Amino acid sequence: MKNLSDQEIEKQLADLEGWEYENFALETTFEFKNFKEAFSVMTRIAFECEALNHHPDWSNVYNTLHIRLSTHDTNGVTEKDFKLAHRIEEIIVSE
Amino acid sequence: MKNLSDQEIEKQLADLEGWEYENFALETTFEFKNFKEAFSVMTRIAFECEALNHHPDWSNVYNTLHIRLSTHDTNGVTEKDFKLAHRIEEIIVSE
């Protein structure tokens, strides 16, 4: 697994909604109706992370969820991050 | 619900294990075996938060969970924060 180039990252970001490349990571923030909705989505995401064996840096305050995806082993963004980002997008869209 | 004084906060902190008063909030960090253990504990905490209608600012990276408790309405630490901190401690101890 190797880091993607900036060019490759920009290209792949075009297929995602509301994600940005910041500080060598893919970042996004979601807002939900309330804490229960936010944590329900986090739980669905958690199962995907475990299945992919790839985990986010994420934080939650009430109805807000901030997610940061990067690959710690390579200290950059890899295909693993985009794979997880797409899984997260599928979960969000299905809510 | 009113903010506790610094003196009252220090007194009540003595009854908790590993929490600190920082930036007008109660803060702590827990480390677990892995992501699954960390998220399982977060889920148990989430139900308590919902029951108390009091929610943390928290972040998770793999096996690490950082929790910050404060009362947004009063912009300080109130009895609500200590109540939730004690519930969290009960959950951690029971793991």
Side-chain angles (χ1 to χ4, degrees), chain B residues 28-44:
Chain B
T28 194
T29 301
F30 297 112
E31 287 204 3
F32 302 93
K33 207 176 75 184
N34 51 36
F35 175 77
K36 198 163 62 174
E37 299 290 323
F39 199 80
S40 300
V41 168
M42 288 177 74
T43 305
R44 292 185 61 190

Side-chain angles (χ1 to χ4, degrees), chain B residues 10-12 14 16 21-22 38 47 52 54-55 59 89 94:
Chain B
E10 291 302 330
K11 192 178 149 197
Q12 293 207 33
L16 288 166
Y21 178 47
E22 295 263 5
F47 281 100
L52 294 173
H54 194 55
H55 304 88
S59 58
E89 189 156 279
S94 74

Side-chain angles (χ1 to χ4, degrees), chain A residues 35 50 55 58-61, chain B residues 35 50 55 57-61:
Chain A
F35 176 77
E50 202 55 16
H55 304 87
W58 54 353
S59 59
N60 158 249
V61 183
Chain B
F35 175 77
E50 203 53 19
H55 304 88
D57 298 6
W58 55 353
S59 58
N60 158 249
V61 183

